[in-house]
Amino acid sequence: MSGLIPQQFIENLLDRTDLAELIGSRITLKKAGANYKARCPFHDEKTPSFNVRPDKGFYHCFGCGAHGDAISFVREFEGLDFTAAVEELARRAGLEVPYDKVASQQIRQSRTLTDALDYAREFYRNRLASTEGQLAREYLAARGLDDAIIELYQLGFAPGAGTALYNAASEELRKPLIETGTVSDRYGRPRDLFRNRVMFPIRNTRGRTVAFGGRTLGDDKAKYINSPESDAFHKSREIYGLFEARQALRHIDKLLVVEGYMDVIALAQFGIHYAVAAMGTATNQDSLAALLKQTRHLVFCFDGDTAGHRAADRAMENALELLEDGIHLQFLMLPEGEDPDTLIRKEGAEAFEKRIQEARPLSRYLFDRMQEGLDLSLPENQGELRSRVEPLLSRMPRGSLRDAMWHEMLRLCRPPRTWQPGGAGRNGGNRNPGPAPSTPQERVPVRLSKNHMVCLAMLEAPEMAVELKDLCRQDRQLDKAAGFAEWLDQQGLRTRRQVYQTLARSPADQARFRSLFDGIEHLPGREEALDSARALLAPNDEARQKQRLKALAEKARDLNFADLGPEERQQLKASLSAHQGKHG
């Protein structure tokens, strides 16, 4: 919908927005000349690297690379889409966004639906506090929820009467309630969708109600039911608990993705405020994309039973295509028979936080799962592992993570370094002759181009780029190495870790060097790569001696031998004698 807002209005809005005042209302800014500095709200840091330039209308963080204008800041800080961010800035400036007629009608309709849903939320909350909500209050108390957490998540109760909500709503709200499916007219007469249930309002990032989940207090076949999709609610886009997480935390570094409403609420009650639940299947790509819009670090928490492992496998497989460098996914499998709600109440927040910290990275989870049932000492099973893993890795976008996982696959599938011959040996027919002497496997030399070897050397020791860049520019065969060295020197990178961190934060640099090591299936050792760079920096003694001999011979020819200095005559004689001795 951002395209329906006139560009001129957006530019005027940015001109009228005091960037320092806007950002300063959310984080603490300190004056630094004509600019302002602060600790970045988008990543953890100890020293301020977040700079605000009100005169230029932009902010920039030298730590994580966050950059943008007032609209960008509101979007990232508040978790809003473009239209919502423009509306927020317009509200602050006392302006009305000039949508065209079609867009205005759509917005009015959407607001009418959320107004009706907000009314339903308050209706359910009031019923929870009333005498008819006694059973629901007892259920929540039995689940260990206190009044503060019930208020935070706006829990409610839907009466058992079939038309309690519909009867209480005004005439103008009844139609929107039907449009959202909160009231059904499927059989030609209105009937509340939720009856005799504990109600969980689902709120968007602006705090507006878009749907509900309901947990039965009776013997209904469906323990939980959710609102159907509507113009206000799209399951794959909404994340339960995200609004509350943003209210509790200044900045969300990671999200713990759990499976149920009660899991989210119980974890928050114990101080873990970054737990959320995807409204669609948390393992499908739409829900994963919605989660990754909020943070680049997700920890998936699943029950440790068969169904939980299947769900984790689906999440892993669907995440592969989204795994750009810089995205960090982990998997936390709970003990069988436990879920986050029950486990945190048994062992406490500290122990549960430790589990989160020790969650397996996606790469380890993938290889652990793919190795199940395989004995990798057998060549057949090495081939089986590769047949399982290679199709998964091929779905990943190109980047350092895919390369690292590819080499881990090759390492696991590599033949063993020792070989024990079978059959009868010196012990004749003895079936158990004892351990046979192992024969070291000969290392296969890796032959790469000079260009590749120098690039690999600089990846191992980036500090060499300062010395290598000029030499590489002089050799046409080192064009890739010259460009890589120039970039390393310009960026001031001196360690391999700094190289990976810089590449992870810069899509432009990723695209530039993405094909640098294409076609290399086996990498040489560190020392082998470094030796190639050392040879470039310091040619071998024989080459230098030949150059010196040639220069002296040319000088002797152009002058006379007697005109050479004593030291030069001695060097020429010694060189000629050595040359004759070697080739004569």
Side-chain angles (χ1 to χ4, degrees), residues 285 288 300 314-323 329 362:
Q285 282 197 344
L288 286 169
F300 292 99
R314 288 195 299 271
M316 173 194 69
E317 293 177 14
N318 285 322
L320 292 175
E321 295 180 18
L322 306 175
L323 274 184
L329 302 188
L362 177 140

Side-chain angles (χ1 to χ4, degrees), residues 165-176:
L165 173 62
Y166 182 81
N167 291 339
S170 64
E171 190 65 35
E172 64 181 6
L173 291 178
R174 288 177 175 178
K175 183 179 178 182

Side-chain angles (χ1 to χ4, degrees), residues 241-472:
L242 180 62
F243 173 75
E244 290 80 5
R246 288 192 172 278
Q247 297 300 302
L249 303 173
R250 186 187 71 169
H251 175 63
I252 296 178
D253 294 315
K254 63 183 174 185
L255 289 176
L256 178 69
V257 186
V258 296
E259 296 187 86
Y261 304 121
M262 289 298 297
D263 295 328
V264 173
I265 297 172
L267 291 168
Q269 186 169 343
F270 279 79
I272 299 177
H273 291 285
Y274 53 89
V276 297
M279 296 311 307
T281 303
T283 56
N284 68 41
Q285 282 197 344
D286 289 339
S287 295
L288 286 169
L291 289 162
L292 289 171
K293 286 181 180 179
Q294 306 302 323
T295 180
R296 297 173 73 79
H297 184 179
L298 301 177
V299 182
F300 292 99
C301 181
F302 294 102
D303 299 348
D305 55 14
T306 302
H309 277 95
R310 281 201 300 266
D313 291 345
R314 288 195 299 271
M316 173 194 69
E317 293 177 14
N318 285 322
L320 292 175
E321 295 180 18
L322 306 175
L323 274 184
E324 301 173 353
D325 287 343
I327 291 177
H328 185 33
L329 302 188
Q330 292 176 275
F331 291 83
L332 171 59
M333 307 306 296
L334 301 183
E336 190 166 356
E338 300 285 0
D339 57 36
D341 180 17
T342 60
L343 189 58
I344 197 168
R345 296 184 188 280
K346 287 182 180 178
E347 64 183 21
E350 185 177 350
F352 199 91
E353 284 273 18
K354 185 177 180 182
R355 289 182 182 272
I356 297 172
Q357 294 168 6
E358 295 174 352
R360 282 183 290 179
L362 177 140
S363 57
R364 185 177 300 170
Y365 179 82
L366 184 149
F367 284 110
D368 287 349
R369 289 289 284 169
M370 294 301 105
Q371 286 182 72
E372 288 184 2
L374 299 180
D375 178 0
L376 294 184
S377 66
L378 299 175
E380 294 88 348
N381 286 352
Q382 293 171 16
E384 173 63 23
L385 176 63
R386 182 160 185 165
S387 71
R388 294 179 183 181
V389 173
E390 196 165 351
L392 297 176
L393 300 190
S394 66
R395 293 163 57 180
M396 296 176 62
R398 289 188 176 184
S400 58
L401 177 59
R402 188 182 77 161
D403 292 344
M405 292 177 68
W406 181 270
H407 290 299
E408 174 65 8
M409 179 191 70
L410 295 177
R411 185 189 70 81
L412 292 170
C413 297
R414 187 174 297 149
R417 293 181 177 275
T418 59
W419 174 72
Q420 295 181 350
R426 285 177 294 182
N427 294 326
N430 187 355
R431 292 187 178 183
N432 186 21
S438 61
T439 304
Q441 188 179 34
E442 183 180 356
R443 182 179 176 88
V444 179
V446 178
R447 296 186 180 276
L448 298 178
S449 70
K450 189 177 180 182
N451 213 350
H452 279 129
M453 291 294 284
V454 175
C455 288
L456 289 168
M458 288 188 288
L459 187 62
E460 294 288 348
E463 68 275 6
M464 299 178 71
V466 176
E467 301 177 76
L468 287 170
K469 63 177 184 177
D470 291 333
L471 290 169
C472 292

Side-chain angles (χ1 to χ4, degrees), residues 179-193:
E179 288 181 19
T180 61
T182 314
V183 174
S184 170
D185 64 348
R186 183 177 179 182
Y187 300 106
R189 56 187 177 87
R191 184 173 175 80
D192 295 350
L193 175 65

